[in-house]
Amino acid sequence: MLTVPEAAKRTRKNPETIRRWIRDRKLKATRIGTQYLVDEAELEALLGTSEVLPAPAEWDQTTTGEPMPNWVAVIRQQRSEH
């Protein structure tokens, strides 16, 4: 579970953006006292659907015919390991 400032730092967004997502019910959060806690999986699910733009169909395969890796997921994984 992440606080709003922690979620903002992780996503490189303003904390008010995270609060707006919670108010608009785009992001599920649990309220404890005056503070919201965001589940990391919910945050990742929201970012996974909103930040990735569709690529042209010819980019679905490498030049050797193999499926193209999900580079966004690869970079996110590498960043989370630090």
Side-chain angles (χ1 to χ4, degrees), residues 10-13 21 43-54 72 76 79:
R10 188 169 289 190
T11 60
R12 295 188 176 143
K13 304 283 185 196
W21 289 348
L43 187 61
E44 289 296 323
L46 176 66
L47 293 177
T49 59
S50 64
E51 287 190 352
V52 179
L53 298 174
V72 174
R76 283 189 180 148
R79 287 182 180 173

